[in-house]
Amino acid sequence: MKRICKWGGIALIWAGAFFLLQALLVPKYMDGIPDGALVREYYRETTEHDVIFIGDCEVYENFSPVTLWENYGITSYVRGSPQQLIWHSYYTLKDTLERETPQAVVFNVLSMQYSEPQSEAYNRMALDDLPLSVNKIQAVLASKMEDETLLSYIFPLFRYHSRWSELTASDFRYLFYQDALSHNGFLMRADVRPVTTIPEPKKLANYQFADVCYEYLDKIRLLCEEEGVELILIKAPSLYPHWYEEWDRQMVDYAGEHGLTYINFLDRIDEVGLDFSTDTYDQGLHLNLSGAEKLSDYFGAILRDAGIPDRREDEALSAVWAEKCEAYHAQAEAQYAELAEKGYLTRATTPGSQIPAGE
Amino acid sequence: MLFTSFGFILFLAILFPLYYLVPKRLQWMLLLAASYVFYAFAGWGCLIFIAVTTVTCWYASLRMDRLQKRQSLYLKARKEALTSGEKKAYKAQVKRKKLGWFLAALLLNFGILAVLKYTNFAIVNLNAVSALFGGGQLQLVDLLLPMGISFYTFQTIGYVIDVYRGKYPPQESLPRFALFVSFFPQLVQGPISRYDDLAPHLLGEHPFDRRTVSFGLQRILWGYFKKMVVADRLLTAVTAIIGAPETYDGIFVLLGMFLYALELYADFTGGIDITIGIANTLGVPVKENFIRPYFSKNIEEYWRRWHITMGTWFRDYIFYPVSVSRPMLSISKKSRSLLGPELGKRVPVYLATLITWFATGIWHGASWNFIVWGLLNGVVIIISQECAPLYRRFHERFPKVGATFGWRLFQVVRTFWLMSALRSLDCYRDVPLTFSMVGTIFTRFSLTPLFDGSLLELGLGAGDWIVAGLGCLLILGVSLRQRRGSVREQLERSPAAARYAVAFGLTFAVLVFGAYGVGYDASQFIYNQF
């Protein structure tokens, strides 16, 4: 018994030290790239949502859940991450549906163009903060690049150990708790960088989406069917990377074949009221706050027509969302004030915070 | 499967408990299976070569032993009936047959090694000669070089020679012999074990012993620290220096020599620590391969303390047989009559030394830099032997000097730099380039680059230099402690808190500062390529 206690104690101390070191060394994304913090913030949610957005930066920069709440009483969350590939989306959705059952899932189809893992960094941002489960293991196995290991996703210390020489005060400050950076998964950017030119689209050798992408799209559809959730396919109104007509036709066909709603917002820019001289912060790649609010308001009407209820009568929910709205407007005000004073956003323009074109 | 891979750690994590859970009489079988699984990760093709070496050496040894036994029985049965001449003739006949099996095993296995390892080297040299005379050029061939082939071939040939010499009887069981050849921890980079040292432990039964296992695990951990925290970190700077000789000359060449000496030591001894640690954890003692070689006071001592099992292999199976071979005895006779008894008797020894070092050089790699490196080692040993009387006279004249710490330190530093300079042939891998780069130490020497931030352009940040420096200091400290006996035994006598602090410290140092994972090239042990 004494021996068991002794070895148990040693194991406990060792594990404690291991997890403390791990917590210190993993990136917290509190400076520079807030996009990496998005996945973990979902797990702090205390209430369920009627609408879940799934996808890449075209959802988490373009749809504002607070606007949906304020204008339509729709509760929503954006489960996005940078360059979220379709298998990331599937496993993220699976994880979400194990925790709650929304009425609708909105999936941005940009990732249909990628048939292979693209980057370790984006894999990390999509998967690191998924809680350990069979689902996470499957997600890692589906996503990992050749030189990545499953073990390093289970114990991220094995990946981030070399950050010891890059540690900053922020790593210690946010060791145990990180501030929320998003508003229900929406990353706010109030600055404006109007569209001047749009890069000419490159001709592709093959416009056909890969089988693997259809395979995961089928999985997403079937998962939604099993859970009784309506799946809505969208293409956000980002002007580039270019969304080809050939791609669009395939999505139209797929939606038609399976009785799904597919909305290409690129065709509805005027209806939405988007003005790319004021509604984008990076020349048409992503919408800024005003653009996201316009798009959310427009989409809210569609969701309402689809039968998503108004929850504003629910007092408990309203109290929760009141806090969210307050934080949202406070940040919006702070950003507008900073823009008025400096002409740019300090944090948003930190080198490295810009996700490269194409994601 | 790299020793430093997660896969290998998992492999050990499965093997260790299983080894002590299976019935003890089955432990060696489990080790054999594990060794072949380990080797299969290097490629299925490699398995064929190790299997051929195993079967041929096992069979040839058995045949030699049968012949010997048959001879004894035959002569015993006809003790009275045969004349002395008939007995001699019979013995000569048996000896010839034995020699036939012996040579067959030797030629086949050295032949495999030679073809796989040296064919392209031969082609390159033939092409160079052919080009001089305007001849045609041969194409290089793409041959598989099985992992650790030099190590397991030498270990197995050593066994065949010992059986031929009647040192011990051969192993009757092929699977048991296969374990001796393929014992996985030492397949990668040795040590080159002797059958009579290793096999009894390898094939014996091993009950779980907490102390042995604990010592083994500690040694593994220490090996990982040396390899992953120190060696692989220094590798970055060494690669930067030798990769750009046009940029890094003068003081950088000297720095490169120094860093490579540290890297190679940490890499090779780290690998051996892991090997011995794994074997110890399995209850199998394996011969030490290093005894603080950088504390050696001369080159001969250095080679008695560095890669000991390779040195003793070349000594026992090449140097001694060559020294007493018929041609050498005849050279000895002639040289004595030509040069006098003193110098004359040294000529065959020196010749055998050069032959041994030529073999050592070419064993390390199929290229001229290794051959020149080997021969230069031999030359330096010969020169130091020739200078011995000079040193003797110096010490007779100044008897107190030899006993001082300063003199010993001078000897150690001199030997270290001499070996480091020779080893630069291993760094640049090109003989003329090596000589010209070493020359720049004298022609373009300047200390400025050490202080102008150039060190931070070698791929290591300030933090990395500090970690590598502290790691080297720790290795030095442990080496100094080793002079008082086993460090693990010393640690065992210290308070529990200190023991656990060391174990925790080393583990987390490897986990955090180790060069592994994405962003690092999984680097093989340097000696694995030999």
Side-chain angles (χ1 to χ4, degrees):
Chain A
M1 187 62 192
K2 202 176 160 188
R3 182 169 285 186
I4 293 172
C5 285
K6 180 187 152 189
W7 284 106
I10 290 168
L12 216 63
I13 294 170
W14 194 93
F18 181 91
F19 285 108
L20 189 69
L21 260 178
Q22 181 165 281
L24 178 66
L25 289 164
V26 294
K28 289 142 199 93
Y29 302 107
M30 298 306 293
D31 310 303
I33 311 172
D35 312 57
L38 294 174
V39 174
R40 70 166 176 248
E41 291 185 9
Y42 170 73
Y43 301 100
R44 293 184 195 163
E45 285 291 285
T46 52
T47 58
E48 296 200 351
H49 312 92
D50 285 325
V51 177
I52 294 290
F53 290 86
I54 299 276
D56 48 24
C57 53
E58 288 197 0
V59 289
Y60 69 75
E61 305 261 21
N62 293 355
F63 291 94
S64 162
V66 167
T67 304
L68 285 173
W69 170 260
E70 287 184 330
N71 296 2
Y72 297 94
I74 292 172
T75 58
S76 64
Y77 200 96
V78 184
R79 293 224 60 188
S81 59
Q83 204 189 60
Q84 189 180 89
L85 302 179
I86 193 160
W87 37 90
H88 294 148
S89 299
Y90 168 67
Y91 289 106
T92 303
L93 178 62
K94 214 173 154 195
D95 174 76
T96 311
L97 297 188
E98 280 169 12
R99 291 160 205 280
E100 60 176 317
T101 310
Q103 303 212 9
V105 163
V106 180
F107 173 59
N108 187 56
V109 294
L110 181 68
S111 59
M112 285 295 288
Q113 65 180 299
Y114 299 111
S115 59
E116 286 174 354
Q118 301 291 307
S119 142
E120 194 237 352
Y122 295 126
N123 269 348
R124 286 285 168 187
M125 291 191 201
L127 303 172
D128 267 346
D129 289 324
L130 282 184
L132 184 59
S133 63
V134 174
N135 187 51
K136 175 169 181 168
I137 290 170
Q138 289 173 330
V140 172
L141 292 176
S143 315
K144 72 185 184 71
M145 311 278 290
E146 203 181 337
D147 56 349
E148 292 185 87
T149 60
L150 172 64
L151 197 65
S152 69
Y153 279 92
I154 297 172
F155 301 110
L157 176 70
F158 294 140
R159 169 62 185 90
Y160 296 113
H161 65 97
S162 53
R163 281 194 74 242
W164 64 268
S165 57
E166 298 159 18
L167 290 178
T168 62
S170 163
D171 285 292
F172 292 92
R173 188 173 159 204
Y174 298 108
L175 180 57
F176 299 112
Y177 188 83
Q178 297 85 36
D179 297 338
L181 299 177
S182 78
H183 302 277
N184 272 39
F186 167 68
L187 267 189
M188 183 187 290
R189 285 285 296 263
D191 47 335
V192 180
R193 200 167 165 207
V195 173
T196 47
T197 52
I198 300 171
E200 275 297 307
K202 285 181 197 162
K203 282 195 173 172
L204 304 182
N206 180 11
Y207 291 91
Q208 179 65 35
F209 290 138
D211 289 347
V212 67
C213 296
Y214 277 115
E215 200 181 295
Y216 276 98
L217 188 55
D218 283 342
K219 284 184 175 187
I220 290 173
R221 178 176 55 78
L222 291 170
L223 186 61
C224 288
E225 278 174 20
E226 275 168 30
E227 299 291 330
V229 179
E230 184 182 354
L231 175 63
I232 300 170
L233 305 178
I234 60 155
K235 168 64 191 77
S238 292
L239 299 184
Y240 62 92
H242 190 73
W243 181 249
Y244 296 89
E245 277 211 30
E246 291 84 346
W247 290 355
D248 199 51
R249 263 201 303 276
Q250 289 175 67
M251 289 322 328
V252 170
D253 290 347
Y254 185 88
E257 196 182 319
H258 297 285
L260 302 174
T261 303
Y262 169 59
I263 306 165
N264 180 353
F265 285 106
L266 285 164
D267 297 338
R268 301 190 188 194
I269 287 173
D270 292 337
E271 269 181 65
V272 174
L274 290 174
D275 175 356
F276 277 96
S277 62
T278 57
D279 292 335
T280 172
Y281 72 84
D282 53 5
Q283 299 183 305
L285 185 60
H286 304 104
L287 299 180
N288 61 11
L289 179 58
S290 98
E293 287 182 342
K294 284 179 188 173
L295 181 64
S296 304
D297 184 55
Y298 179 87
F299 190 49
I302 295 171
L303 291 172
R304 169 59 33 80
D305 291 345
I308 308 297
D310 185 340
R311 304 272 189 195
R312 280 174 289 192
E313 298 300 313
D314 185 325
E315 283 185 14
L317 264 182
S318 292
V320 170
W321 277 90
E323 272 183 44
K324 290 175 188 284
C325 294
E326 194 183 330
Y328 176 86
H329 291 298
Q331 193 187 8
E333 269 174 40
Q335 288 201 1
Y336 284 127
E338 190 177 9
L339 282 171
E341 187 193 333
K342 295 179 182 166
Y344 61 89
L345 296 176
T346 319
R347 270 199 73 177
T349 50
T350 303
S353 71
Q354 317 272 354
I355 300 301
E359 280 85 51
Chain B
M1 197 170 3
L2 288 172
F3 271 14
T4 50
S5 65
F6 288 126
F8 184 70
I9 307 285
L10 182 69
F11 173 77
L12 292 182
I14 295 168
L15 177 66
F16 285 158
L18 211 59
Y19 183 75
Y20 288 108
L21 284 174
V22 298
K24 288 175 193 61
R25 63 193 161 77
L26 300 182
Q27 282 175 323
W28 72 269
M29 290 187 205
L30 178 67
L31 276 190
L32 176 62
S35 296
Y36 268 76
V37 167
F38 173 81
Y39 205 62
F41 276 95
W44 292 103
C46 300
L47 281 177
I48 298 170
F49 290 102
I50 199 168
V52 167
T53 298
T54 305
V55 172
T56 54
C57 290
W58 169 77
Y59 188 68
S61 303
L62 272 190
R63 296 297 305 188
M64 290 189 292
D65 187 58
R66 296 275 188 279
L67 284 166
Q68 195 63 46
K69 279 179 181 157
R70 203 180 301 157
Q71 174 186 291
S72 304
L73 288 173
Y74 182 85
L75 293 177
K76 204 174 172 186
R78 292 163 182 78
K79 202 173 175 182
E80 308 299 330
L82 294 177
T83 63
S84 163
E86 284 169 331
K87 281 181 191 168
K88 259 189 188 166
Y90 181 75
K91 277 183 186 172
Q93 188 193 349
V94 169
K95 196 177 174 186
R96 266 200 309 278
K97 283 185 183 169
K98 250 181 88 177
L99 189 65
W101 283 109
F102 172 67
L103 288 177
L106 238 64
L107 290 175
L108 178 72
N109 287 287
F110 276 142
I112 292 173
L113 181 64
V115 169
L116 296 181
K117 196 165 172 179
Y118 303 107
T119 300
N120 281 332
F121 178 57
I123 291 174
V124 167
N125 287 294
L126 281 174
N127 283 346
V129 173
S130 169
L132 289 177
F133 300 101
Q137 299 285 295
L138 294 168
Q139 287 289 319
L140 293 180
V141 284
D142 189 15
L143 293 169
L144 172 79
L145 189 61
M147 181 180 76
I149 186 169
S150 301
F151 288 100
Y152 75 69
T153 303
F154 271 50
Q155 179 164 304
T156 316
I157 290 297
Y159 163 85
V160 175
I161 296 173
D162 286 347
V163 172
Y164 175 74
R165 288 173 176 170
K167 190 178 171 193
Y168 42 73
Q171 172 56 256
E172 299 277 337
S173 153
L174 178 60
R176 285 171 203 266
F177 181 68
L179 176 58
F180 164 70
V181 179
S182 65
F183 183 46
F184 77 90
Q186 55 175 45
L187 262 183
V188 180
Q189 53 182 343
I192 304 170
S193 294
R194 304 296 174 90
Y195 178 80
D196 49 343
D197 282 333
L198 184 64
H201 300 290
L202 211 49
L203 302 171
E205 297 183 357
H206 302 283
F208 179 81
D209 178 60
R210 196 190 64 80
R211 187 169 181 263
T212 309
V213 170
S214 162
F215 271 29
L217 293 175
Q218 285 172 27
R219 184 101 187 234
I220 294 172
L221 187 56
W222 180 232
Y224 277 120
F225 176 83
K226 283 177 174 174
K227 165 71 179 160
M228 295 168 76
V229 178
V230 180
D232 287 351
R233 185 160 266 105
L234 293 176
L235 168 72
T236 310
V238 173
T239 309
I241 291 172
I242 62 177
E246 66 288 351
T247 310
Y248 296 117
D249 55 14
I251 186 72
F252 283 107
V253 178
L254 205 62
L255 181 69
M257 280 181 192
F258 177 67
L259 294 177
Y260 185 63
L262 299 180
E263 183 213 336
L264 183 66
Y265 178 80
D267 185 282
F268 195 12
T269 64
I272 291 293
D273 284 333
I274 296 170
T275 295
I276 296 178
I278 293 169
N280 288 171
T281 308
L282 298 166
V284 178
V286 171
K287 281 237 159 141
E288 290 296 338
N289 218 18
F290 295 91
I291 307 171
R292 302 181 299 286
Y294 288 162
F295 290 145
S296 304
K297 292 193 274 296
N298 57 59
I299 191 167
E300 280 176 303
E301 185 190 350
Y302 171 86
W303 279 112
R304 285 196 300 273
R305 298 166 70 160
W306 174 278
H307 206 345
I308 297 165
T309 57
M310 182 203 69
T312 52
W313 196 99
F314 279 103
R315 183 195 67 197
D316 293 348
Y317 300 121
I318 294 194
F319 179 76
Y320 288 158
V322 168
S323 301
V324 297
S325 64
R326 259 189 220 154
M328 211 51 91
L329 291 177
S330 133
I331 289 172
S332 173
K333 220 176 192 178
K334 280 179 192 160
S335 62
R336 276 177 210 225
S337 68
L338 269 173
L339 304 167
E342 271 307 306
L343 187 58
K345 81 174 176 197
R346 294 204 295 276
V347 168
V349 176
Y350 290 165
L351 220 53
T353 302
L354 288 177
I355 289 170
T356 306
W357 279 103
F358 172 81
T360 308
I362 204 155
W363 177 87
H364 275 81
S367 55
W368 282 106
N369 63 294
F370 284 117
I371 295 172
V372 173
W373 167 82
L375 288 172
L376 279 179
N377 269 284
V379 168
V380 172
I381 288 172
I382 291 169
I383 291 172
S384 70
Q385 282 180 2
E386 281 300 304
C387 291
L390 220 74
Y391 294 139
R392 219 171 19 248
R393 277 204 291 280
F394 174 79
H395 288 299
E396 279 165 8
R397 181 91 191 268
F398 307 102
K400 284 183 183 168
V401 171
T404 59
F405 173 75
W407 177 254
R408 289 202 303 275
L409 185 66
F410 160 73
Q411 287 179 303
V412 167
V413 171
R414 177 198 60 188
T415 308
F416 175 83
W417 279 109
L418 185 59
M419 293 316 299
S420 299
L422 291 180
R423 221 181 277 118
S424 51
L425 281 156
D426 181 14
C427 288
Y428 291 104
R429 306 246 161 153
D430 178 290
V431 179
L433 177 67
T434 305
F435 282 111
S436 79
M437 292 315 293
V438 172
T440 64
I441 295 173
F442 305 100
T443 56
R444 289 179 219 162
F445 189 83
S446 161
L447 288 174
T448 317
L450 296 181
F451 308 103
D452 66 359
S454 300
L455 289 181
L456 296 176
E457 289 163 15
L458 296 175
L460 297 183
D464 286 306
W465 282 110
I466 292 169
V467 169
L470 290 176
C472 289
L473 282 178
L474 186 61
I475 293 172
L476 176 69
V478 169
S479 295
L480 292 170
R481 291 289 294 219
Q482 273 175 343
R483 296 190 301 184
R484 285 187 252 160
S486 160
V487 174
R488 284 171 295 170
E489 282 174 13
Q490 292 175 48
L491 199 61
E492 194 183 26
R493 291 192 290 273
S494 58
R499 290 202 307 272
Y500 291 121
V502 169
F504 274 38
L506 275 183
T507 312
F508 285 111
V510 172
L511 284 176
V512 175
F513 302 120
Y516 66 92
V518 174
Y520 293 98
D521 288 331
S523 85
Q524 187 56 273
F525 286 92
I526 294 172
Y527 258 73
N528 190 32
Q529 64 195 293
F530 304 139

